[in-house]
Amino acid sequence: MGLDNTWMQAQDRAKKAGRLLGEVLEKKVQGERPVILVGTSLGALTILTALQYLASLPGGDVPGYVESAYLISLPAAPSPEEWVNVRKVVARRVVNAYSESDWVLAGVVRYVLPTRGIPLILGYTK
């Protein structure tokens, strides 16, 4: 179970880092300028968590902290409602980039979310 422990620890750390990133953005440590966030794999999970944190703040609709967010090979399966909440806190674009031939991402998703499968990570529901 080395993969399970290592992967779960990495996901947990990415989510904790996302919460911290959200708090930093909330406090406007970067000044009044909005930021563009780009992340791959666990970095994308960190960004997603930060955006979810910002969406959970009172008032919820706070575009201005983040101009655009680019999530590449996101190892998570947000629900349509979660995507709507994330979209509310980003002023311009939210891009979920992936490749249907990314077997590593597909394997991780099937391993971590065996009952939900790859369609949900891509934002599809059947």
Side-chain angles (χ1 to χ4, degrees):
M1 281 297 174
L3 175 62
D4 180 42
N5 291 337
T6 303
W7 178 252
M8 297 308 269
Q9 288 175 358
Q11 271 193 318
D12 184 54
R13 289 178 182 161
K15 290 176 183 178
K16 288 177 182 176
R19 172 65 186 241
L20 291 173
L21 175 60
E23 290 173 2
V24 166
L25 292 172
E26 175 190 12
K27 294 175 183 173
K28 295 190 176 188
V29 173
Q30 79 282 4
E32 293 296 319
R33 295 171 299 193
V35 297
I36 297 172
L37 301 173
V38 180
T40 61
S41 188
L42 291 172
L45 183 59
T46 300
I47 292 169
L48 177 68
T49 305
L51 295 175
Q52 289 173 331
Y53 170 78
L54 291 173
S56 72
L57 295 174
D61 296 328
V62 286
Y65 294 126
V66 180
E67 179 184 332
S68 297
Y70 298 90
L71 310 172
I72 304 164
S73 295
L74 174 67
S79 69
E81 180 180 306
E82 290 171 319
W83 280 119
V84 168
N85 289 337
V86 164
R87 183 67 192 101
K88 288 179 182 178
V89 297
V90 178
R92 292 190 67 208
R93 298 186 72 190
V94 177
V95 178
N96 180 24
Y98 61 90
S99 170
E100 291 180 2
S101 62
D102 186 346
W103 293 105
V104 174
L105 180 61
V108 167
V109 172
R110 287 191 180 115
Y111 180 72
V112 175
L113 305 167
T115 60
R116 297 179 76 186
I118 194 70
L120 286 178
I121 200 166
L122 305 177
Y124 298 130
T125 56
K126 291 184 178 182

